[in-house]
Amino acid sequence: ETTTVLSPINKSHREKLENAQKLEFSQNNFSRAVVLYEQIFSLSQNKEIQARMLNNMARCYKKLENYDKSIQYYSRICEEYTRNTTSTSLPLDLIAKFQIIDCYQSKGDQENFITKSLDLYRNLLQMEWNLTADQFNTYSSMIEKDVSDFLSSDEKALENNNYHQEFKQLKELHQKIREKWEISKNIENSILPELRRRISISSIPPSNPLHYTRPINQIDYLVIATAIPRNQTTDSKGLLGIKINNQYLIHQEVKRIMDEFPFSQEVSLSISNLSGENLIQIGDSSSSTAMVETYFDENFPPWRVNFFSAENGDFNVMNLRKSFYFWTILTILILLTFGAFLVVRTVSHEMEVLRLKSDFVSSVSHEFKTPITAIKTLMERLRQGKVRSLDKRKKYYSIISKDVDKLGSLVRNILDYSKVDAQKKRYYFQKTDIGQQIKEEIADFKKDKLYEKLQIKIQIEPDIPFLYIDRDAFSLALSNLLENAVKFSPDQKAISVAAKKIGDTIQVDVTDKGLGIDSNEMDKIFDKFYQGKNTDQKSLGGTGLGLTLVKHVMEAHEGKVQVKSQRGEGSTFSLIFPIR
């Protein structure tokens, strides 16, 4: 693991860090290195730097063979810095857990070693960290091998525990995950190229589903796919499809139909693949006569179906043939109809998401481009010495500062949304005076150069009970509502924030006298990427993520966000927290 110097660190701290690294890696003076790492940790307020310093101290204690102290520091990373990463962008708490396990193994603590190893193995299989396929395979295989080697060598010492059974269950889950990824890999590498080729040369409209089957590693893959059309063009922008679970189709659906269908005589059924390998046998066909043998159109599914009957006679054969065709065609129609419906519905949803994402990218590009262009232009003039007036230079610096604050707000929203979308957002609840918290958040909000002259009216009822909230998340929600109130109040910036107790809830209201929201948009404004369609809002910009984040914050607090608005008269957004 490397230790990269982070940009927020100042010059004096950087010198300490360089000296500490020299002591640790060149001089092997781990004790003195720990002292310098500790000083940097104490002086820094940056969570990323603090997490890295804890990791450095834990590493030094491990080199000193002070495993208890090393475990203490690594455990602190796992408890307090779960959102931080290593210099190579790996989850720091994941690496810390591996190091804790290694410490327990080095000090000979078998019980903690196997317990922590199984816990980490389970966490990896439950996808607690957002890892790539290669990273997942690497770390899960490492911990699986360590546990397997340990249980094999210390079987007698642990024979009275349930570790072997738990490990067996985790390995089975691991194998299922491998199989799923193997299926995805096979589809991507072996099936998608052929589907794309067929779509590109086919004269069939892209909306018609394409049926495709191919055996891979002795497994028949059944796929229904369709092209995703581009707007106002005949070509496609991608493929969307579903893989049919043919094992379920054979062993569950076919068997159910055979059990439920009212045959007029005793029949048996045999299904085999095109190479003759038997896939399922229902009933005894050894003494029966084959009456119907058929294949599906386009060999989809790639089966040969044989019906057998103990009775003879043309009449019965004809009835059986008709019955077979009836329920076979009906079953396939139901499957294909459901598949087509699912594909069409999914395509429609994906098309809408793609449109929203396209709008989002366009909006974000514009939001970033405008301040960056302004900063670059002003900095170029300052660098060339073209601004000689002190007052004008101050004005330029003020504009640059405002644009930087705007960029910072945009980046924070996008980063927070990425954590929410990846389901990696975590909340830390603590007892909070909500009235005091609101005052502090508004004061911090007005420190921004964009809002320093803004007047915000605050009305907080006395004796409001304390709440258990995540203060950072509350800050995010309130600042987004305040930013919206300012942005959508271009003429009259009359903004108020109120907090009051209503029953067993605390309600925080943010009210403005701005543009308001049309009634037909009230259900959409909390959707990701959505932005209002009113013509006088088009120049206001934004990413369409602010209210999505507000909604997620309130759901995490088991509360809700409500809005009351009338076009042209302003809006009131209410954050409603349950009291507990």
Side-chain angles (χ1 to χ4, degrees):
E1 181 188 347
T2 60
T3 53
T4 302
V5 177
L6 304 176
S7 56
I9 200 166
N10 61 37
K11 183 177 180 181
S12 63
H13 295 171
R14 184 178 293 108
E15 292 176 354
K16 286 182 184 290
L17 180 58
E18 291 172 353
N19 290 334
Q21 291 173 341
K22 187 181 298 182
L23 287 167
E24 179 185 357
F25 297 109
S26 300
Q27 303 175 16
N28 292 334
N29 190 343
F30 308 124
S31 299
R32 180 57 184 162
V34 166
V35 173
L36 295 181
Y37 288 140
E38 176 69 38
Q39 291 176 3
I40 298 171
F41 175 87
S42 302
L43 294 172
S44 177
Q45 299 298 316
N46 183 278
K47 297 279 286 185
E48 194 74 19
I49 295 175
Q50 290 179 346
R52 301 278 179 90
M53 293 307 107
L54 283 177
N55 187 58
N56 294 347
M57 287 185 279
R59 185 180 61 239
C60 286
Y61 279 121
K62 186 180 177 185
K63 293 177 180 178
L64 288 167
E65 297 184 2
N66 187 344
Y67 299 117
D68 290 333
K69 200 73 173 177
S70 181
I71 291 171
Q72 176 185 336
Y73 279 92
Y74 280 129
S75 298
R76 186 173 176 185
I77 291 173
C78 297
E79 293 169 0
E80 301 178 22
Y81 297 88
T82 55
R83 290 181 282 186
N84 296 98
T85 61
T86 68
S87 57
T88 54
S89 300
L90 290 171
L92 190 58
D93 58 333
L94 170 61
I95 305 302
K97 287 182 178 181
F98 269 100
Q99 295 299 328
I100 290 171
I101 291 170
D102 193 47
C103 286
Y104 280 125
Q105 186 177 37
S106 298
K107 65 181 290 191
D109 189 339
Q110 295 182 338
E111 194 72 26
N112 272 315
F113 170 78
I114 188 62
T115 302
K116 298 294 184 182
S117 296
L118 289 172
D119 287 344
L120 179 54
Y121 193 22
R122 186 184 306 105
N123 291 339
L124 281 166
L125 298 181
Q126 291 173 346
M127 305 299 176
E128 181 170 325
W129 296 279
N130 187 22
L131 303 175
T132 65
D134 289 339
Q135 290 171 341
F136 172 82
N137 288 330
T138 298
Y139 289 118
S140 58
S141 298
M142 284 171 54
I143 196 68
E144 179 186 18
K145 183 179 184 303
D146 288 345
V147 174
S148 179
D149 292 345
F150 178 79
L151 291 178
S152 299
S153 60
D154 295 76
E155 187 171 356
K156 292 184 178 179
L158 298 168
E159 61 185 2
N160 295 326
N161 293 302
N162 296 321
Y163 298 129
H164 291 277
Q165 181 62 30
E166 184 176 356
F167 182 49
K168 179 182 177 182
Q169 294 173 353
L170 291 175
K171 284 205 300 183
E172 291 173 353
L173 176 58
H174 194 181
Q175 182 58 32
K176 290 180 180 178
I177 294 174
R178 285 196 185 104
E179 290 173 356
K180 288 181 180 178
W181 281 5
E182 183 67 22
I183 289 174
S184 299
K185 181 180 178 182
N186 288 337
I187 291 176
E188 182 177 359
N189 296 335
S190 302
I191 294 179
L192 280 180
E194 176 62 16
L195 289 178
R196 292 192 183 101
R197 187 190 68 81
R198 291 194 180 189
I199 290 290
S200 65
I201 65 174
S202 176
S203 59
I204 302 174
S207 59
N208 287 359
L210 178 67
H211 304 140
Y212 182 70
T213 179
R214 176 174 176 177
I216 303 176
N217 297 332
Q218 299 181 337
I219 298 176
D220 286 323
Y221 283 70
L222 309 179
V223 175
I224 300 177
T226 187
I228 303 174
R230 295 184 184 275
N231 291 336
Q232 300 176 347
T233 60
T234 58
D235 62 339
S236 62
K237 62 171 64 176
L239 286 171
L240 184 67
I242 56 174
K243 175 188 174 296
I244 296 175
N245 186 339
N246 41 329
Q247 292 299 314
Y248 180 85
L249 194 61
I250 293 175
H251 296 287
Q252 299 293 327
E253 290 303 309
V254 171
K255 189 175 184 304
R256 179 184 62 79
I257 292 171
M258 288 292 294
D259 291 339
E260 295 179 359
F261 195 85
F263 291 105
S264 60
Q265 58 194 49
E266 184 178 350
V267 297
S268 58
L269 170 71
S270 172
I271 297 179
S272 59
N273 59 26
L274 299 182
S275 62
E277 180 186 356
N278 191 51
L279 301 177
I280 187 174
Q281 177 72 47
I282 300 177
D284 182 13
S285 62
S286 58
S287 60
S288 304
T289 304
M291 303 178 64
V292 176
E293 179 178 282
T294 189
Y295 300 84
F296 292 95
D297 290 342
E298 300 179 353
N299 291 328
F300 188 88
W303 301 340
R304 180 174 65 186
V305 182
N306 285 281
F307 262 91
F308 301 88
S309 173
E311 301 179 18
N312 294 318
D314 294 338
F315 179 78
N316 287 335
V317 171
M318 185 60 68
N319 285 342
L320 182 59
R321 184 185 298 273
K322 289 180 179 179
S323 298
F324 168 73
Y325 279 124
F326 172 75
W327 70 257
T328 300
I329 293 172
L330 179 62
T331 303
I332 296 301
L333 283 174
I334 292 173
L335 288 172
L336 294 182
T337 300
F338 173 75
F341 168 75
L342 180 63
V343 168
V344 170
R345 188 182 66 173
T346 307
V347 168
S348 300
H349 173 71
E350 289 297 317
M351 290 294 293
E352 179 64 17
V353 171
L354 287 171
R355 185 190 65 78
L356 290 174
K357 286 185 176 180
S358 177
D359 293 344
F360 166 73
V361 171
S362 176
S363 298
V364 169
S365 300
H366 175 75
E367 291 293 305
F368 275 94
K369 183 178 179 180
T370 302
I372 288 174
T373 301
I375 292 171
K376 183 178 179 181
T377 301
L378 296 178
M379 288 299 296
E380 186 67 20
R381 291 181 62 83
L382 290 168
R383 187 182 66 82
Q384 295 174 354
K386 294 182 177 180
V387 185
R388 302 187 181 278
S389 167
L390 179 61
D391 290 339
K392 201 164 187 178
R393 284 203 300 268
K394 288 182 178 179
K395 181 180 179 181
Y396 278 20
Y397 290 135
S398 176
I399 295 172
I400 291 171
S401 178
K402 290 179 180 180
D403 284 336
V404 169
D405 290 338
K406 182 179 180 182
L407 287 172
S409 176
L410 285 169
V411 170
R412 185 179 71 158
N413 265 6
I414 293 171
L415 291 177
D416 281 317
Y417 172 74
S418 69
K419 294 177 183 177
V420 169
D421 195 46
Q423 299 182 350
K424 302 296 288 184
K425 180 71 174 176
R426 298 187 182 182
Y427 295 88
Y428 302 91
F429 299 91
Q430 49 188 314
K431 190 175 182 180
T432 303
D433 181 344
I434 194 67
Q436 183 63 29
Q437 186 71 17
I438 291 173
K439 294 176 183 177
E440 292 176 1
E441 293 302 333
I442 291 176
D444 287 342
F445 181 79
K446 293 179 68 177
K447 287 180 182 177
D448 192 316
K449 297 291 185 182
L450 294 171
Y451 312 120
E452 57 186 359
K453 296 182 180 180
L454 181 66
Q455 297 297 319
I456 301 178
K457 183 179 180 181
I458 303 175
Q459 296 176 309
I460 300 176
E461 288 186 353
D463 303 324
I464 289 183
F466 283 64
L467 285 177
Y468 280 89
I469 62 172
D470 183 307
R471 295 178 183 176
D472 289 341
F474 178 77
S475 171
L476 173 69
L478 185 57
S479 63
N480 269 301
L481 292 182
L482 289 172
E483 287 174 5
N484 278 357
V486 174
K487 182 167 66 173
F488 292 98
S489 302
D491 300 323
Q492 185 181 3
K493 295 190 183 333
I495 299 170
S496 64
V497 178
K500 53 191 173 183
K501 181 177 181 295
I502 301 178
D504 58 353
T505 64
I506 299 297
Q507 181 170 314
V508 179
D509 296 330
V510 178
T511 303
D512 64 69
K513 299 295 183 183
L515 299 173
I517 305 167
D518 285 340
S519 58
N520 59 359
E521 290 187 298
M522 299 288 268
D523 295 334
K524 303 176 183 178
I525 57 175
F526 295 101
D527 293 344
K528 60 185 178 182
F529 310 134
Y530 184 81
Q531 300 187 63
K533 302 302 181 184
N534 297 308
T535 55
D536 53 356
Q537 293 184 19
K538 287 184 179 178
S539 62
L540 298 176
T543 62
L545 296 177
L547 291 180
T548 304
L549 291 170
V550 172
K551 182 181 178 182
H552 190 277
V553 167
M554 295 311 298
E555 289 174 347
H557 287 76
E558 297 184 8
K560 57 185 176 180
V561 55
Q562 293 181 342
V563 58
K564 295 179 181 178
S565 183
Q566 189 167 345
R567 182 71 179 145
E569 297 186 10
S571 307
T572 296
F573 285 84
S574 301
L575 307 178
I576 302 174
F577 296 89
I579 298 175
R580 49 171 140 227

